[in-house]
Amino acid sequence: MCCCEKKDPKQEALEALLAKYKSQKGALIPVLQQTQDIYGYLPKEALQQISRELKIPLSEIFGVCTFYAQFHLSPRGRNIIRVCLGTACHVRGGAKIFERVQQELGIKDGETTEDLRFTIESVACIGACGLAPVIMVNDDTHGRLTPDQIPDILAQYE
Ligand code: FES
């Protein structure tokens, strides 16, 4: 690389991370966690670099990434919407809420809008059954919902 060319700060952070963990055993999970903190998800190029530096086959790394729900292989939205489909929410119309969120954003469960504004995830129970049906946007709980409230709620998040 030419000396006047500026390195990507994320790439630099990844290199520093790999230098730190290179000779440590059992480093894969902490390296993946910290790589995800750097990028917001685990880009394929970063995984290839981890594979080279830690000398772990890429297939093994993918296996770990797909096993643990905490790892994401594609970019995630700035706002994460968790739609509860647990029993209490289901009984009180959770499926209709879920349908409306997907319809408003034009994406399905687990997907992210193209502008990276939202990611939708269905969840089993978020521990607010008394407020069913419930969604969470980031750390905010929105309960006792009707589908028609969804557009106004989404409008609160940039
Ligand atoms: S079932 Fe939805 S919050 Fe518990």
Side-chain angles (χ1 to χ4, degrees), residues 84 86-89 124-129 134:
C84 182
T87 308
C89 288
C125 175
I126 48 184
C129 310
V134 178

Side-chain angles (χ1 to χ4, degrees), residues 8-20:
D8 172 16
K10 291 181 178 176
Q11 176 63 25
E12 274 187 6
L14 177 60
E15 281 171 18
L17 177 69
L18 288 170
K20 181 174 153 198

Side-chain angles (χ1 to χ4, degrees), residues 66-156:
T66 46
F67 181 78
Y68 292 101
Q70 62 173 306
F71 295 127
H72 304 286
L73 293 168
S74 48
R76 305 188 84 217
R78 295 187 293 284
N79 303 290
I80 309 296
I81 306 173
R82 295 190 174 86
V83 183
C84 182
L85 296 180
T87 308
C89 288
H90 179 74
V91 170
R92 292 178 177 265
K96 289 230 163 1
I97 302 294
F98 189 37
E99 211 177 280
R100 185 63 182 266
V101 173
Q102 294 180 93
Q103 191 186 9
E104 287 295 322
L105 298 178
I107 54 173
K108 301 235 170 294
D109 192 12
E111 293 181 351
T112 298
T113 55
E114 249 176 56
D115 59 3
L116 299 183
R117 189 169 158 219
F118 289 109
T119 295
I120 307 179
E121 290 174 352
S122 62
V123 293
C125 175
I126 48 184
C129 310
L131 296 176
V134 178
I135 68 169
M136 278 188 83
V137 184
N138 307 327
D139 294 327
D140 307 332
T141 305
H142 300 274
R144 302 209 171 91
L145 292 173
T146 61
D148 289 343
Q149 290 173 280
I150 297 299
D152 285 346
I153 291 172
L154 297 181
Q156 296 169 27

Side-chain angles (χ1 to χ4, degrees), residues 39-60:
Y39 291 93
Y41 73 108
L42 294 168
K44 193 167 175 220
E45 300 69 35
L47 296 181
Q48 285 165 336
Q49 196 172 347
I50 292 169
S51 165
R52 277 195 306 272
E53 297 289 329
L54 299 186
K55 301 194 177 12
I56 299 173
L58 194 56
S59 57
E60 196 179 311

